[in-house]
PDB file of all heavy atoms in Angstrom:
ATOM      1  N   TYR A 191      46.182  35.927 -65.713  1.00 87.00           N
ATOM      2  CA  TYR A 191      45.248  36.634 -64.834  1.00 87.00           C
ATOM      3  C   TYR A 191      45.872  37.948 -64.372  1.00 87.00           C
ATOM      4  O   TYR A 191      47.051  37.995 -64.001  1.00 87.00           O
ATOM      5  CB  TYR A 191      44.899  35.779 -63.610  1.00 87.00           C
ATOM      6  CG  TYR A 191      44.136  34.515 -63.954  1.00 87.00           C
ATOM      7  CD1 TYR A 191      44.811  33.338 -64.245  1.00 87.00           C
ATOM      8  CD2 TYR A 191      42.752  34.526 -63.981  1.00 87.00           C
ATOM      9  CE1 TYR A 191      44.104  32.181 -64.557  1.00 87.00           C
ATOM     10  CE2 TYR A 191      42.040  33.370 -64.294  1.00 87.00           C
ATOM     11  CZ  TYR A 191      42.730  32.201 -64.585  1.00 87.00           C
ATOM     12  OH  TYR A 191      42.024  31.065 -64.903  1.00 87.00           O
ATOM     13  N   ARG A 192      45.057  38.968 -64.353  1.00 89.00           N
ATOM     14  CA  ARG A 192      45.549  40.276 -63.933  1.00 89.00           C
ATOM     15  C   ARG A 192      45.948  40.241 -62.452  1.00 89.00           C
ATOM     16  O   ARG A 192      45.318  39.578 -61.633  1.00 89.00           O
ATOM     17  CB  ARG A 192      44.463  41.333 -64.157  1.00 89.00           C
ATOM     18  CG  ARG A 192      44.917  42.740 -63.831  1.00 89.00           C
ATOM     19  CD  ARG A 192      43.872  43.764 -64.175  1.00 89.00           C
ATOM     20  NE  ARG A 192      44.183  45.049 -63.562  1.00 89.00           N
ATOM     21  CZ  ARG A 192      43.442  46.131 -63.664  1.00 89.00           C
ATOM     22  NH1 ARG A 192      42.319  46.086 -64.365  1.00 89.00           N
ATOM     23  NH2 ARG A 192      43.808  47.255 -63.060  1.00 89.00           N
ATOM     24  N   PHE A 193      46.992  40.965 -62.125  1.00 88.00           N
ATOM     25  CA  PHE A 193      47.526  41.016 -60.759  1.00 88.00           C
ATOM     26  C   PHE A 193      46.496  41.629 -59.814  1.00 88.00           C
ATOM     27  O   PHE A 193      45.899  42.660 -60.114  1.00 88.00           O
ATOM     28  CB  PHE A 193      48.810  41.848 -60.764  1.00 88.00           C
ATOM     29  CG  PHE A 193      49.479  41.933 -59.430  1.00 88.00           C
ATOM     30  CD1 PHE A 193      50.147  40.842 -58.896  1.00 88.00           C
ATOM     31  CD2 PHE A 193      49.457  43.122 -58.708  1.00 88.00           C
ATOM     32  CE1 PHE A 193      50.781  40.939 -57.669  1.00 88.00           C
ATOM     33  CE2 PHE A 193      50.086  43.219 -57.482  1.00 88.00           C
ATOM     34  CZ  PHE A 193      50.745  42.120 -56.969  1.00 88.00           C
ATOM     35  N   ASN A 194      46.285  40.968 -58.648  1.00 90.00           N
ATOM     36  CA  ASN A 194      45.292  41.428 -57.685  1.00 90.00           C
ATOM     37  C   ASN A 194      45.921  41.524 -56.296  1.00 90.00           C
ATOM     38  O   ASN A 194      47.127  41.310 -56.130  1.00 90.00           O
ATOM     39  CB  ASN A 194      44.090  40.492 -57.669  1.00 90.00           C
ATOM     40  CG  ASN A 194      42.794  41.209 -57.337  1.00 90.00           C
ATOM     41  OD1 ASN A 194      42.786  42.148 -56.547  1.00 90.00           O
ATOM     42  ND2 ASN A 194      41.702  40.768 -57.933  1.00 90.00           N
ATOM     43  N   ILE A 195      45.090  41.804 -55.269  1.00 91.00           N
ATOM     44  CA  ILE A 195      45.608  42.018 -53.911  1.00 91.00           C
ATOM     45  C   ILE A 195      46.252  40.749 -53.366  1.00 91.00           C
ATOM     46  O   ILE A 195      47.408  40.736 -52.940  1.00 91.00           O
ATOM     47  CB  ILE A 195      44.479  42.481 -52.976  1.00 91.00           C
ATOM     48  CG1 ILE A 195      43.851  43.776 -53.476  1.00 91.00           C
ATOM     49  CG2 ILE A 195      45.031  42.696 -51.559  1.00 91.00           C
ATOM     50  CD1 ILE A 195      42.643  44.217 -52.672  1.00 91.00           C
ATOM     51  N   LEU A 196      45.497  39.654 -53.359  1.00 90.00           N
ATOM     52  CA  LEU A 196      45.967  38.379 -52.817  1.00 90.00           C
ATOM     53  C   LEU A 196      46.180  37.334 -53.893  1.00 90.00           C
ATOM     54  O   LEU A 196      46.728  36.270 -53.621  1.00 90.00           O
ATOM     55  CB  LEU A 196      44.971  37.858 -51.780  1.00 90.00           C
ATOM     56  CG  LEU A 196      44.700  38.793 -50.599  1.00 90.00           C
ATOM     57  CD1 LEU A 196      43.582  38.247 -49.714  1.00 90.00           C
ATOM     58  CD2 LEU A 196      45.956  39.016 -49.770  1.00 90.00           C
ATOM     59  N   ASN A 197      45.710  37.600 -55.088  1.00 87.00           N
ATOM     60  CA  ASN A 197      45.919  36.716 -56.241  1.00 87.00           C
ATOM     61  C   ASN A 197      45.339  35.322 -56.047  1.00 87.00           C
ATOM     62  O   ASN A 197      46.029  34.308 -56.222  1.00 87.00           O
ATOM     63  CB  ASN A 197      47.410  36.621 -56.576  1.00 87.00           C
ATOM     64  CG  ASN A 197      47.999  37.959 -56.967  1.00 87.00           C
ATOM     65  OD1 ASN A 197      47.395  38.717 -57.713  1.00 87.00           O
ATOM     66  ND2 ASN A 197      49.172  38.261 -56.443  1.00 87.00           N
ATOM     67  N   PHE A 198      44.061  35.266 -55.651  1.00 87.00           N
ATOM     68  CA  PHE A 198      43.373  33.971 -55.618  1.00 87.00           C
ATOM     69  C   PHE A 198      43.270  33.423 -57.040  1.00 87.00           C
ATOM     70  O   PHE A 198      43.018  34.165 -57.993  1.00 87.00           O
ATOM     71  CB  PHE A 198      41.959  34.120 -55.057  1.00 87.00           C
ATOM     72  CG  PHE A 198      41.898  34.459 -53.598  1.00 87.00           C
ATOM     73  CD1 PHE A 198      40.869  35.235 -53.102  1.00 87.00           C
ATOM     74  CD2 PHE A 198      42.874  34.019 -52.723  1.00 87.00           C
ATOM     75  CE1 PHE A 198      40.802  35.557 -51.754  1.00 87.00           C
ATOM     76  CE2 PHE A 198      42.828  34.333 -51.377  1.00 87.00           C
ATOM     77  CZ  PHE A 198      41.786  35.107 -50.894  1.00 87.00           C
ATOM     78  N   ALA A 199      43.447  32.120 -57.160  1.00 83.00           N
ATOM     79  CA  ALA A 199      43.249  31.460 -58.453  1.00 83.00           C
ATOM     80  C   ALA A 199      41.810  30.961 -58.515  1.00 83.00           C
ATOM     81  O   ALA A 199      41.483  29.884 -58.016  1.00 83.00           O
ATOM     82  CB  ALA A 199      44.228  30.311 -58.622  1.00 83.00           C
ATOM     83  N   PHE A 200      40.929  31.767 -59.107  1.00 84.00           N
ATOM     84  CA  PHE A 200      39.521  31.402 -59.202  1.00 84.00           C
ATOM     85  C   PHE A 200      39.307  30.436 -60.380  1.00 84.00           C
ATOM     86  O   PHE A 200      40.002  30.527 -61.400  1.00 84.00           O
ATOM     87  CB  PHE A 200      38.660  32.656 -59.401  1.00 84.00           C
ATOM     88  CG  PHE A 200      38.614  33.557 -58.205  1.00 84.00           C
ATOM     89  CD1 PHE A 200      39.485  34.636 -58.082  1.00 84.00           C
ATOM     90  CD2 PHE A 200      37.693  33.332 -57.192  1.00 84.00           C
ATOM     91  CE1 PHE A 200      39.434  35.469 -56.982  1.00 84.00           C
ATOM     92  CE2 PHE A 200      37.641  34.163 -56.073  1.00 84.00           C
ATOM     93  CZ  PHE A 200      38.518  35.231 -55.976  1.00 84.00           C
ATOM     94  N   PRO A 201      38.338  29.529 -60.277  1.00 82.00           N
ATOM     95  CA  PRO A 201      38.076  28.547 -61.354  1.00 82.00           C
ATOM     96  C   PRO A 201      37.294  29.163 -62.514  1.00 82.00           C
ATOM     97  O   PRO A 201      36.181  28.728 -62.845  1.00 82.00           O
ATOM     98  CB  PRO A 201      37.269  27.465 -60.630  1.00 82.00           C
ATOM     99  CG  PRO A 201      36.546  28.191 -59.550  1.00 82.00           C
ATOM    100  CD  PRO A 201      37.481  29.277 -59.095  1.00 82.00           C
ATOM    101  N   VAL A 202      37.862  30.216 -63.104  1.00 86.00           N
ATOM    102  CA  VAL A 202      37.244  30.867 -64.264  1.00 86.00           C
ATOM    103  C   VAL A 202      38.339  31.144 -65.282  1.00 86.00           C
ATOM    104  O   VAL A 202      39.536  31.111 -64.969  1.00 86.00           O
ATOM    105  CB  VAL A 202      36.550  32.192 -63.860  1.00 86.00           C
ATOM    106  CG1 VAL A 202      35.372  31.919 -62.941  1.00 86.00           C
ATOM    107  CG2 VAL A 202      37.541  33.160 -63.221  1.00 86.00           C
ATOM    108  N   THR A 203      37.943  31.406 -66.519  1.00 86.00           N
ATOM    109  CA  THR A 203      38.926  31.716 -67.553  1.00 86.00           C
ATOM    110  C   THR A 203      39.539  33.084 -67.290  1.00 86.00           C
ATOM    111  O   THR A 203      38.944  33.935 -66.614  1.00 86.00           O
ATOM    112  CB  THR A 203      38.268  31.704 -68.937  1.00 86.00           C
ATOM    113  OG1 THR A 203      37.276  32.736 -68.994  1.00 86.00           O
ATOM    114  CG2 THR A 203      37.614  30.351 -69.213  1.00 86.00           C
ATOM    115  N   ASP A 204      40.731  33.275 -67.835  1.00 87.00           N
ATOM    116  CA  ASP A 204      41.413  34.551 -67.635  1.00 87.00           C
ATOM    117  C   ASP A 204      40.649  35.707 -68.268  1.00 87.00           C
ATOM    118  O   ASP A 204      40.636  36.825 -67.730  1.00 87.00           O
ATOM    119  CB  ASP A 204      42.837  34.486 -68.164  1.00 87.00           C
ATOM    120  CG  ASP A 204      42.894  33.988 -69.603  1.00 87.00           C
ATOM    121  OD1 ASP A 204      41.839  33.610 -70.153  1.00 87.00           O
ATOM    122  OD2 ASP A 204      44.005  33.971 -70.178  1.00 87.00           O
ATOM    123  N   GLN A 205      39.968  35.442 -69.398  1.00 90.00           N
ATOM    124  CA  GLN A 205      39.205  36.504 -70.037  1.00 90.00           C
ATOM    125  C   GLN A 205      38.042  36.957 -69.151  1.00 90.00           C
ATOM    126  O   GLN A 205      37.808  38.152 -68.987  1.00 90.00           O
ATOM    127  CB  GLN A 205      38.678  36.030 -71.389  1.00 90.00           C
ATOM    128  CG  GLN A 205      37.928  37.111 -72.149  1.00 90.00           C
ATOM    129  CD  GLN A 205      37.449  36.637 -73.512  1.00 90.00           C
ATOM    130  OE1 GLN A 205      37.709  35.495 -73.901  1.00 90.00           O
ATOM    131  NE2 GLN A 205      36.759  37.505 -74.251  1.00 90.00           N
ATOM    132  N   PHE A 206      37.335  35.994 -68.563  1.00 93.00           N
ATOM    133  CA  PHE A 206      36.215  36.336 -67.679  1.00 93.00           C
ATOM    134  C   PHE A 206      36.721  37.063 -66.435  1.00 93.00           C
ATOM    135  O   PHE A 206      36.117  38.043 -65.995  1.00 93.00           O
ATOM    136  CB  PHE A 206      35.473  35.058 -67.276  1.00 93.00           C
ATOM    137  CG  PHE A 206      34.286  35.304 -66.397  1.00 93.00           C
ATOM    138  CD1 PHE A 206      33.050  35.608 -66.941  1.00 93.00           C
ATOM    139  CD2 PHE A 206      34.392  35.239 -65.007  1.00 93.00           C
ATOM    140  CE1 PHE A 206      31.941  35.845 -66.140  1.00 93.00           C
ATOM    141  CE2 PHE A 206      33.297  35.482 -64.192  1.00 93.00           C
ATOM    142  CZ  PHE A 206      32.074  35.780 -64.768  1.00 93.00           C
ATOM    143  N   TYR A 207      37.833  36.578 -65.882  1.00 91.00           N
ATOM    144  CA  TYR A 207      38.408  37.199 -64.678  1.00 91.00           C
ATOM    145  C   TYR A 207      38.826  38.643 -64.958  1.00 91.00           C
ATOM    146  O   TYR A 207      38.501  39.555 -64.192  1.00 91.00           O
ATOM    147  CB  TYR A 207      39.608  36.386 -64.199  1.00 91.00           C
ATOM    148  CG  TYR A 207      40.279  36.932 -62.961  1.00 91.00           C
ATOM    149  CD1 TYR A 207      39.877  36.530 -61.694  1.00 91.00           C
ATOM    150  CD2 TYR A 207      41.334  37.854 -63.057  1.00 91.00           C
ATOM    151  CE1 TYR A 207      40.496  37.026 -60.547  1.00 91.00           C
ATOM    152  CE2 TYR A 207      41.954  38.354 -61.934  1.00 91.00           C
ATOM    153  CZ  TYR A 207      41.531  37.942 -60.675  1.00 91.00           C
ATOM    154  OH  TYR A 207      42.146  38.455 -59.561  1.00 91.00           O
ATOM    155  N   ASN A 208      39.543  38.860 -66.043  1.00 91.00           N
ATOM    156  CA  ASN A 208      40.046  40.199 -66.354  1.00 91.00           C
ATOM    157  C   ASN A 208      38.916  41.166 -66.699  1.00 91.00           C
ATOM    158  O   ASN A 208      39.000  42.359 -66.387  1.00 91.00           O
ATOM    159  CB  ASN A 208      41.048  40.122 -67.507  1.00 91.00           C
ATOM    160  CG  ASN A 208      42.297  39.330 -67.131  1.00 91.00           C
ATOM    161  OD1 ASN A 208      42.667  39.257 -65.954  1.00 91.00           O
ATOM    162  ND2 ASN A 208      42.943  38.724 -68.114  1.00 91.00           N
ATOM    163  N   ASN A 209      37.847  40.628 -67.340  1.00 92.00           N
ATOM    164  CA  ASN A 209      36.706  41.486 -67.666  1.00 92.00           C
ATOM    165  C   ASN A 209      35.907  41.886 -66.422  1.00 92.00           C
ATOM    166  O   ASN A 209      35.244  42.927 -66.413  1.00 92.00           O
ATOM    167  CB  ASN A 209      35.778  40.787 -68.663  1.00 92.00           C
ATOM    168  CG  ASN A 209      36.412  40.656 -70.040  1.00 92.00           C
ATOM    169  OD1 ASN A 209      37.347  41.392 -70.385  1.00 92.00           O
ATOM    170  ND2 ASN A 209      35.929  39.710 -70.831  1.00 92.00           N
ATOM    171  N   ASN A 210      35.956  41.026 -65.401  1.00 93.00           N
ATOM    172  CA  ASN A 210      35.221  41.290 -64.151  1.00 93.00           C
ATOM    173  C   ASN A 210      36.187  41.511 -62.990  1.00 93.00           C
ATOM    174  O   ASN A 210      35.928  41.104 -61.856  1.00 93.00           O
ATOM    175  CB  ASN A 210      34.287  40.124 -63.834  1.00 93.00           C
ATOM    176  CG  ASN A 210      33.237  39.910 -64.891  1.00 93.00           C
ATOM    177  OD1 ASN A 210      32.188  40.559 -64.900  1.00 93.00           O
ATOM    178  ND2 ASN A 210      33.517  38.992 -65.827  1.00 93.00           N
ATOM    179  N   PHE A 211      37.284  42.159 -63.290  1.00 92.00           N
ATOM    180  CA  PHE A 211      38.350  42.349 -62.306  1.00 92.00           C
ATOM    181  C   PHE A 211      37.851  43.055 -61.045  1.00 92.00           C
ATOM    182  O   PHE A 211      38.252  42.702 -59.930  1.00 92.00           O
ATOM    183  CB  PHE A 211      39.499  43.142 -62.934  1.00 92.00           C
ATOM    184  CG  PHE A 211      40.574  43.512 -61.962  1.00 92.00           C
ATOM    185  CD1 PHE A 211      41.513  42.577 -61.553  1.00 92.00           C
ATOM    186  CD2 PHE A 211      40.644  44.804 -61.440  1.00 92.00           C
ATOM    187  CE1 PHE A 211      42.506  42.911 -60.652  1.00 92.00           C
ATOM    188  CE2 PHE A 211      41.630  45.143 -60.533  1.00 92.00           C
ATOM    189  CZ  PHE A 211      42.562  44.203 -60.136  1.00 92.00           C
ATOM    190  N   LYS A 212      36.984  44.042 -61.179  1.00 92.00           N
ATOM    191  CA  LYS A 212      36.528  44.817 -60.024  1.00 92.00           C
ATOM    192  C   LYS A 212      35.794  43.939 -59.007  1.00 92.00           C
ATOM    193  O   LYS A 212      35.925  44.129 -57.789  1.00 92.00           O
ATOM    194  CB  LYS A 212      35.623  45.954 -60.483  1.00 92.00           C
ATOM    195  CG  LYS A 212      36.365  47.063 -61.213  1.00 92.00           C
ATOM    196  CD  LYS A 212      35.430  48.216 -61.549  1.00 92.00           C
ATOM    197  CE  LYS A 212      36.193  49.344 -62.252  1.00 92.00           C
ATOM    198  NZ  LYS A 212      35.293  50.474 -62.610  1.00 92.00           N
ATOM    199  N   ILE A 213      35.013  42.974 -59.505  1.00 94.00           N
ATOM    200  CA  ILE A 213      34.292  42.075 -58.595  1.00 94.00           C
ATOM    201  C   ILE A 213      35.268  41.261 -57.767  1.00 94.00           C
ATOM    202  O   ILE A 213      35.145  41.167 -56.536  1.00 94.00           O
ATOM    203  CB  ILE A 213      33.351  41.146 -59.376  1.00 94.00           C
ATOM    204  CG1 ILE A 213      32.276  41.966 -60.093  1.00 94.00           C
ATOM    205  CG2 ILE A 213      32.720  40.101 -58.456  1.00 94.00           C
ATOM    206  CD1 ILE A 213      31.367  41.149 -60.978  1.00 94.00           C
ATOM    207  N   TYR A 214      36.272  40.677 -58.425  1.00 94.00           N
ATOM    208  CA  TYR A 214      37.259  39.860 -57.711  1.00 94.00           C
ATOM    209  C   TYR A 214      38.152  40.725 -56.824  1.00 94.00           C
ATOM    210  O   TYR A 214      38.615  40.278 -55.766  1.00 94.00           O
ATOM    211  CB  TYR A 214      38.107  39.080 -58.716  1.00 94.00           C
ATOM    212  CG  TYR A 214      37.294  38.059 -59.483  1.00 94.00           C
ATOM    213  CD1 TYR A 214      36.953  38.272 -60.816  1.00 94.00           C
ATOM    214  CD2 TYR A 214      36.839  36.906 -58.865  1.00 94.00           C
ATOM    215  CE1 TYR A 214      36.201  37.346 -61.520  1.00 94.00           C
ATOM    216  CE2 TYR A 214      36.083  35.978 -59.558  1.00 94.00           C
ATOM    217  CZ  TYR A 214      35.765  36.211 -60.884  1.00 94.00           C
ATOM    218  OH  TYR A 214      35.007  35.291 -61.567  1.00 94.00           O
ATOM    219  N   TYR A 215      38.366  41.954 -57.274  1.00 94.00           N
ATOM    220  CA  TYR A 215      39.156  42.878 -56.453  1.00 94.00           C
ATOM    221  C   TYR A 215      38.460  43.127 -55.116  1.00 94.00           C
ATOM    222  O   TYR A 215      39.094  43.078 -54.055  1.00 94.00           O
ATOM    223  CB  TYR A 215      39.355  44.190 -57.208  1.00 94.00           C
ATOM    224  CG  TYR A 215      40.037  45.266 -56.380  1.00 94.00           C
ATOM    225  CD1 TYR A 215      41.419  45.343 -56.328  1.00 94.00           C
ATOM    226  CD2 TYR A 215      39.290  46.196 -55.649  1.00 94.00           C
ATOM    227  CE1 TYR A 215      42.053  46.323 -55.572  1.00 94.00           C
ATOM    228  CE2 TYR A 215      39.913  47.177 -54.887  1.00 94.00           C
ATOM    229  CZ  TYR A 215      41.296  47.236 -54.851  1.00 94.00           C
ATOM    230  OH  TYR A 215      41.918  48.205 -54.095  1.00 94.00           O
ATOM    231  N   TRP A 216      37.160  43.389 -55.129  1.00 95.00           N
ATOM    232  CA  TRP A 216      36.438  43.675 -53.892  1.00 95.00           C
ATOM    233  C   TRP A 216      36.296  42.427 -53.022  1.00 95.00           C
ATOM    234  O   TRP A 216      36.236  42.533 -51.802  1.00 95.00           O
ATOM    235  CB  TRP A 216      35.072  44.273 -54.203  1.00 95.00           C
ATOM    236  CG  TRP A 216      35.167  45.706 -54.620  1.00 95.00           C
ATOM    237  CD1 TRP A 216      34.940  46.219 -55.864  1.00 95.00           C
ATOM    238  CD2 TRP A 216      35.574  46.801 -53.794  1.00 95.00           C
ATOM    239  NE1 TRP A 216      35.172  47.577 -55.872  1.00 95.00           N
ATOM    240  CE2 TRP A 216      35.553  47.969 -54.618  1.00 95.00           C
ATOM    241  CE3 TRP A 216      35.941  46.931 -52.467  1.00 95.00           C
ATOM    242  CZ2 TRP A 216      35.894  49.227 -54.121  1.00 95.00           C
ATOM    243  CZ3 TRP A 216      36.279  48.187 -51.984  1.00 95.00           C
ATOM    244  CH2 TRP A 216      36.253  49.310 -52.796  1.00 95.00           C
ATOM    245  N   ILE A 217      36.273  41.252 -53.625  1.00 94.00           N
ATOM    246  CA  ILE A 217      36.270  40.015 -52.829  1.00 94.00           C
ATOM    247  C   ILE A 217      37.573  39.913 -52.031  1.00 94.00           C
ATOM    248  O   ILE A 217      37.569  39.650 -50.826  1.00 94.00           O
ATOM    249  CB  ILE A 217      36.087  38.788 -53.736  1.00 94.00           C
ATOM    250  CG1 ILE A 217      34.675  38.758 -54.330  1.00 94.00           C
ATOM    251  CG2 ILE A 217      36.353  37.500 -52.957  1.00 94.00           C
ATOM    252  CD1 ILE A 217      34.461  37.653 -55.333  1.00 94.00           C
ATOM    253  N   GLU A 218      38.687  40.139 -52.706  1.00 94.00           N
ATOM    254  CA  GLU A 218      39.984  40.040 -52.031  1.00 94.00           C
ATOM    255  C   GLU A 218      40.184  41.193 -51.044  1.00 94.00           C
ATOM    256  O   GLU A 218      40.816  41.012 -49.996  1.00 94.00           O
ATOM    257  CB  GLU A 218      41.104  40.012 -53.070  1.00 94.00           C
ATOM    258  CG  GLU A 218      41.040  38.780 -53.979  1.00 94.00           C
ATOM    259  CD  GLU A 218      42.297  38.582 -54.792  1.00 94.00           C
ATOM    260  OE1 GLU A 218      43.286  39.315 -54.560  1.00 94.00           O
ATOM    261  OE2 GLU A 218      42.310  37.686 -55.658  1.00 94.00           O
ATOM    262  N   PHE A 219      39.645  42.359 -51.369  1.00 95.00           N
ATOM    263  CA  PHE A 219      39.740  43.489 -50.442  1.00 95.00           C
ATOM    264  C   PHE A 219      38.979  43.182 -49.151  1.00 95.00           C
ATOM    265  O   PHE A 219      39.440  43.501 -48.053  1.00 95.00           O
ATOM    266  CB  PHE A 219      39.181  44.758 -51.096  1.00 95.00           C
ATOM    267  CG  PHE A 219      39.266  45.974 -50.211  1.00 95.00           C
ATOM    268  CD1 PHE A 219      40.456  46.690 -50.093  1.00 95.00           C
ATOM    269  CD2 PHE A 219      38.167  46.405 -49.471  1.00 95.00           C
ATOM    270  CE1 PHE A 219      40.546  47.803 -49.274  1.00 95.00           C
ATOM    271  CE2 PHE A 219      38.247  47.519 -48.645  1.00 95.00           C
ATOM    272  CZ  PHE A 219      39.439  48.220 -48.553  1.00 95.00           C
ATOM    273  N   THR A 220      37.819  42.551 -49.247  1.00 94.00           N
ATOM    274  CA  THR A 220      37.036  42.167 -48.065  1.00 94.00           C
ATOM    275  C   THR A 220      37.795  41.174 -47.210  1.00 94.00           C
ATOM    276  O   THR A 220      37.833  41.289 -45.973  1.00 94.00           O
ATOM    277  CB  THR A 220      35.684  41.563 -48.496  1.00 94.00           C
ATOM    278  OG1 THR A 220      34.972  42.516 -49.288  1.00 94.00           O
ATOM    279  CG2 THR A 220      34.856  41.186 -47.278  1.00 94.00           C
ATOM    280  N   VAL A 221      38.429  40.198 -47.867  1.00 94.00           N
ATOM    281  CA  VAL A 221      39.217  39.200 -47.130  1.00 94.00           C
ATOM    282  C   VAL A 221      40.368  39.862 -46.385  1.00 94.00           C
ATOM    283  O   VAL A 221      40.620  39.568 -45.207  1.00 94.00           O
ATOM    284  CB  VAL A 221      39.750  38.121 -48.096  1.00 94.00           C
ATOM    285  CG1 VAL A 221      40.771  37.225 -47.395  1.00 94.00           C
ATOM    286  CG2 VAL A 221      38.602  37.279 -48.637  1.00 94.00           C
ATOM    287  N   MET A 222      41.043  40.778 -47.040  1.00 94.00           N
ATOM    288  CA  MET A 222      42.172  41.443 -46.386  1.00 94.00           C
ATOM    289  C   MET A 222      41.702  42.331 -45.243  1.00 94.00           C
ATOM    290  O   MET A 222      42.404  42.462 -44.228  1.00 94.00           O
ATOM    291  CB  MET A 222      42.947  42.273 -47.410  1.00 94.00           C
ATOM    292  CG  MET A 222      44.280  42.775 -46.878  1.00 94.00           C
ATOM    293  SD  MET A 222      45.385  43.347 -48.155  1.00 94.00           S
ATOM    294  CE  MET A 222      46.922  43.468 -47.207  1.00 94.00           C
ATOM    295  N   THR A 223      40.533  42.924 -45.367  1.00 93.00           N
ATOM    296  CA  THR A 223      39.982  43.726 -44.279  1.00 93.00           C
ATOM    297  C   THR A 223      39.694  42.870 -43.057  1.00 93.00           C
ATOM    298  O   THR A 223      39.968  43.274 -41.918  1.00 93.00           O
ATOM    299  CB  THR A 223      38.692  44.427 -44.739  1.00 93.00           C
ATOM    300  OG1 THR A 223      38.977  45.252 -45.876  1.00 93.00           O
ATOM    301  CG2 THR A 223      38.126  45.292 -43.628  1.00 93.00           C
TER     302      THR A 223
END
Side-chain angles (χ1 to χ4, degrees):
Y191 295 89
R192 184 175 166 181
F193 182 73
N194 211 325
I195 301 174
L196 302 174
N197 298 317
F198 291 148
F200 291 95
V202 294
T203 63
D204 52 355
Q205 183 178 358
F206 181 86
Y207 180 90
N208 295 333
N209 291 339
N210 298 276
F211 174 78
K212 289 184 179 179
I213 297 175
Y214 294 106
Y215 174 87
W216 284 110
I217 291 175
E218 296 193 7
F219 181 81
T220 302
V221 170
M222 191 164 193
T223 302

